[in-house]
Short mmCIF file of all heavy atoms in Angstrom, two decimals:
data_model
loop_
_atom_site.label_atom_id
_atom_site.label_comp_id
_atom_site.label_asym_id
_atom_site.label_seq_id
_atom_site.Cartn_x
_atom_site.Cartn_y
_atom_site.Cartn_z
N TRP A 34 -85.88 -97.11 32.19
CA TRP A 34 -86.03 -98.59 32.16
C TRP A 34 -85.00 -99.19 33.17
O TRP A 34 -83.89 -98.81 33.31
CB TRP A 34 -85.61 -99.11 30.76
CG TRP A 34 -85.89 -100.53 30.56
CD1 TRP A 34 -85.02 -101.56 30.83
CD2 TRP A 34 -87.09 -101.15 30.17
NE1 TRP A 34 -85.61 -102.75 30.64
CE2 TRP A 34 -86.90 -102.58 30.19
CE3 TRP A 34 -88.39 -100.62 29.78
CZ2 TRP A 34 -87.95 -103.41 29.86
CZ3 TRP A 34 -89.41 -101.52 29.47
CH2 TRP A 34 -89.17 -102.92 29.46
N LEU A 71 -96.73 -104.66 27.09
CA LEU A 71 -97.20 -103.29 26.91
C LEU A 71 -96.39 -102.52 25.85
O LEU A 71 -95.23 -102.91 25.52
CB LEU A 71 -97.14 -102.48 28.20
CG LEU A 71 -97.91 -103.11 29.42
CD1 LEU A 71 -97.49 -102.32 30.64
CD2 LEU A 71 -99.35 -103.01 29.15
N THR A 73 -95.27 -98.34 24.79
CA THR A 73 -95.10 -97.07 25.50
C THR A 73 -96.45 -96.34 25.65
O THR A 73 -96.69 -95.74 26.66
CB THR A 73 -94.07 -96.13 24.76
OG1 THR A 73 -92.85 -96.86 24.62
CG2 THR A 73 -93.81 -94.91 25.54
N PHE A 99 -86.40 -94.05 29.16
CA PHE A 99 -87.70 -94.56 28.75
C PHE A 99 -88.85 -93.75 29.30
O PHE A 99 -89.87 -93.52 28.60
CB PHE A 99 -87.86 -96.07 29.22
CG PHE A 99 -89.28 -96.61 29.00
CD1 PHE A 99 -89.73 -96.75 27.73
CD2 PHE A 99 -89.98 -97.05 30.04
CE1 PHE A 99 -91.04 -97.24 27.46
CE2 PHE A 99 -91.26 -97.54 29.86
CZ PHE A 99 -91.77 -97.69 28.61
N LYS A 102 -90.12 -90.89 27.05
CA LYS A 102 -91.14 -91.18 25.99
C LYS A 102 -92.48 -91.20 26.56
O LYS A 102 -93.42 -90.66 25.96
CB LYS A 102 -90.78 -92.56 25.32
CG LYS A 102 -89.48 -92.57 24.55
CD LYS A 102 -89.40 -93.77 23.64
CE LYS A 102 -89.39 -95.07 24.40
NZ LYS A 102 -89.17 -96.26 23.56
N ALA A 118 -85.02 -91.46 25.94
CA ALA A 118 -85.00 -92.37 24.82
C ALA A 118 -85.91 -91.81 23.72
O ALA A 118 -86.63 -90.85 23.93
CB ALA A 118 -85.45 -93.75 25.26
N GLY A 119 -85.93 -92.43 22.56
CA GLY A 119 -86.92 -92.05 21.53
C GLY A 119 -86.32 -91.62 20.20
O GLY A 119 -86.99 -91.48 19.22
N ILE A 120 -84.94 -91.43 20.21
CA ILE A 120 -84.32 -91.12 18.88
C ILE A 120 -83.54 -92.44 18.54
O ILE A 120 -82.70 -92.93 19.24
CB ILE A 120 -83.25 -90.00 19.00
CG1 ILE A 120 -84.03 -88.69 19.36
CG2 ILE A 120 -82.52 -89.83 17.71
CD1 ILE A 120 -85.09 -88.26 18.33
N PHE A 121 -83.94 -93.05 17.38
CA PHE A 121 -83.35 -94.32 17.01
C PHE A 121 -81.90 -94.10 16.65
O PHE A 121 -81.51 -93.28 15.85
CB PHE A 121 -84.10 -94.89 15.80
CG PHE A 121 -83.54 -96.19 15.29
CD1 PHE A 121 -83.72 -97.36 16.01
CD2 PHE A 121 -82.80 -96.23 14.16
CE1 PHE A 121 -83.20 -98.54 15.60
CE2 PHE A 121 -82.21 -97.47 13.71
CZ PHE A 121 -82.43 -98.60 14.43
N VAL A 122 -81.06 -94.94 17.26
CA VAL A 122 -79.64 -94.96 16.96
C VAL A 122 -79.27 -96.30 16.35
O VAL A 122 -79.50 -97.34 16.97
CB VAL A 122 -78.81 -94.75 18.28
CG1 VAL A 122 -77.28 -94.80 17.97
CG2 VAL A 122 -79.21 -93.42 18.98
N LYS A 124 -77.79 -99.74 15.30
CA LYS A 124 -76.97 -100.70 16.08
C LYS A 124 -75.56 -100.87 15.52
O LYS A 124 -75.36 -100.74 14.34
CB LYS A 124 -77.66 -102.15 16.14
CG LYS A 124 -78.96 -102.15 16.89
CD LYS A 124 -79.59 -103.47 16.87
CE LYS A 124 -80.80 -103.60 17.72
NZ LYS A 124 -81.90 -102.71 17.25
N ALA A 152 -79.62 -108.20 25.61
CA ALA A 152 -79.06 -106.93 26.06
C ALA A 152 -79.17 -106.82 27.57
O ALA A 152 -80.04 -107.41 28.20
CB ALA A 152 -79.87 -105.80 25.38
N ASP A 154 -80.30 -104.50 29.48
CA ASP A 154 -81.60 -104.03 29.97
C ASP A 154 -82.73 -105.11 29.92
O ASP A 154 -83.77 -104.88 30.44
CB ASP A 154 -82.03 -102.83 29.10
CG ASP A 154 -81.27 -101.56 29.50
OD1 ASP A 154 -80.67 -101.50 30.58
OD2 ASP A 154 -81.28 -100.61 28.70
N ALA A 155 -82.48 -106.18 29.17
CA ALA A 155 -83.43 -107.24 29.05
C ALA A 155 -83.20 -108.44 29.92
O ALA A 155 -84.03 -109.37 29.96
CB ALA A 155 -83.59 -107.64 27.59
N TYR A 163 -90.20 -108.81 29.08
CA TYR A 163 -89.25 -109.01 27.94
C TYR A 163 -89.93 -108.65 26.62
O TYR A 163 -89.39 -108.01 25.78
CB TYR A 163 -88.74 -110.44 27.88
CG TYR A 163 -87.83 -110.69 26.71
CD1 TYR A 163 -86.58 -110.04 26.71
CD2 TYR A 163 -88.11 -111.56 25.68
CE1 TYR A 163 -85.67 -110.20 25.63
CE2 TYR A 163 -87.28 -111.75 24.64
CZ TYR A 163 -86.02 -111.10 24.59
OH TYR A 163 -85.18 -111.26 23.55
N GLU A 164 -91.25 -109.06 26.51
CA GLU A 164 -91.99 -108.66 25.35
C GLU A 164 -92.20 -107.13 25.30
O GLU A 164 -92.21 -106.52 24.21
CB GLU A 164 -93.35 -109.36 25.32
CG GLU A 164 -93.28 -110.86 25.13
CD GLU A 164 -92.58 -111.23 23.84
OE1 GLU A 164 -92.83 -110.59 22.78
OE2 GLU A 164 -91.71 -112.14 23.86
N THR A 165 -92.41 -106.54 26.46
CA THR A 165 -92.53 -105.08 26.56
C THR A 165 -91.25 -104.39 26.06
O THR A 165 -91.24 -103.43 25.28
CB THR A 165 -92.88 -104.63 27.98
OG1 THR A 165 -94.15 -105.17 28.43
CG2 THR A 165 -92.90 -103.11 28.08
N PHE A 166 -90.14 -104.91 26.51
CA PHE A 166 -88.80 -104.45 26.14
C PHE A 166 -88.66 -104.43 24.65
O PHE A 166 -88.17 -103.47 24.02
CB PHE A 166 -87.72 -105.24 26.85
CG PHE A 166 -86.33 -104.86 26.36
CD1 PHE A 166 -85.73 -103.74 26.88
CD2 PHE A 166 -85.64 -105.65 25.47
CE1 PHE A 166 -84.42 -103.39 26.46
CE2 PHE A 166 -84.38 -105.33 25.04
CZ PHE A 166 -83.75 -104.18 25.52
N LYS A 167 -89.05 -105.56 23.99
CA LYS A 167 -88.95 -105.68 22.58
C LYS A 167 -89.84 -104.68 21.85
O LYS A 167 -89.48 -104.18 20.81
CB LYS A 167 -89.25 -107.11 22.12
CG LYS A 167 -88.21 -108.15 22.53
CD LYS A 167 -88.34 -109.45 21.74
CE LYS A 167 -89.66 -110.14 22.05
NZ LYS A 167 -89.72 -111.47 21.36
N ASN A 168 -90.98 -104.40 22.47
CA ASN A 168 -91.94 -103.41 21.90
C ASN A 168 -91.36 -101.99 21.89
O ASN A 168 -91.63 -101.22 20.95
CB ASN A 168 -93.25 -103.42 22.68
CG ASN A 168 -94.10 -104.62 22.36
OD1 ASN A 168 -93.94 -105.35 21.38
ND2 ASN A 168 -95.01 -104.94 23.25
N VAL A 169 -90.63 -101.69 22.94
CA VAL A 169 -90.26 -100.28 23.09
C VAL A 169 -88.82 -99.89 22.81
O VAL A 169 -88.46 -98.71 22.60
CB VAL A 169 -90.54 -99.82 24.58
CG1 VAL A 169 -91.97 -100.15 24.98
CG2 VAL A 169 -89.60 -100.45 25.57
N VAL A 170 -87.90 -100.92 22.69
CA VAL A 170 -86.47 -100.60 22.73
C VAL A 170 -86.03 -99.83 21.46
O VAL A 170 -85.12 -98.95 21.58
CB VAL A 170 -85.65 -101.92 22.83
CG1 VAL A 170 -85.86 -102.87 21.62
CG2 VAL A 170 -84.12 -101.63 23.04
N ASP A 171 -86.62 -100.03 20.34
CA ASP A 171 -86.19 -99.42 19.09
C ASP A 171 -87.18 -98.40 18.51
O ASP A 171 -87.11 -98.04 17.36
CB ASP A 171 -85.87 -100.47 17.99
CG ASP A 171 -84.53 -101.18 18.27
OD1 ASP A 171 -83.67 -100.61 18.95
OD2 ASP A 171 -84.35 -102.40 17.91
N GLU A 172 -88.10 -97.91 19.36
CA GLU A 172 -89.07 -96.98 18.83
C GLU A 172 -88.39 -95.64 18.49
O GLU A 172 -87.50 -95.20 19.12
CB GLU A 172 -90.10 -96.63 20.01
CG GLU A 172 -91.07 -97.79 20.26
CD GLU A 172 -91.95 -97.43 21.45
OE1 GLU A 172 -91.42 -96.94 22.51
OE2 GLU A 172 -93.14 -97.66 21.32
N ASP A 173 -88.83 -95.13 17.40
CA ASP A 173 -88.46 -93.76 16.93
C ASP A 173 -89.61 -92.76 17.32
O ASP A 173 -90.72 -92.85 16.75
CB ASP A 173 -88.18 -93.76 15.47
CG ASP A 173 -87.55 -92.37 15.03
OD1 ASP A 173 -87.60 -91.46 15.81
OD2 ASP A 173 -87.07 -92.36 13.89
#
Side-chain angles (χ1 to χ4, degrees):
W34 188 270
L71 301 171
T73 304
F99 171 63
K102 294 194 296 184
I120 298 298
F121 179 73
V122 178
K124 293 179 174 63
D154 284 341
Y163 181 64
E164 292 302 317
T165 298
F166 175 78
K167 291 196 295 183
N168 287 341
V169 307
V170 65
D171 285 332
E172 288 175 314
D173 187 348

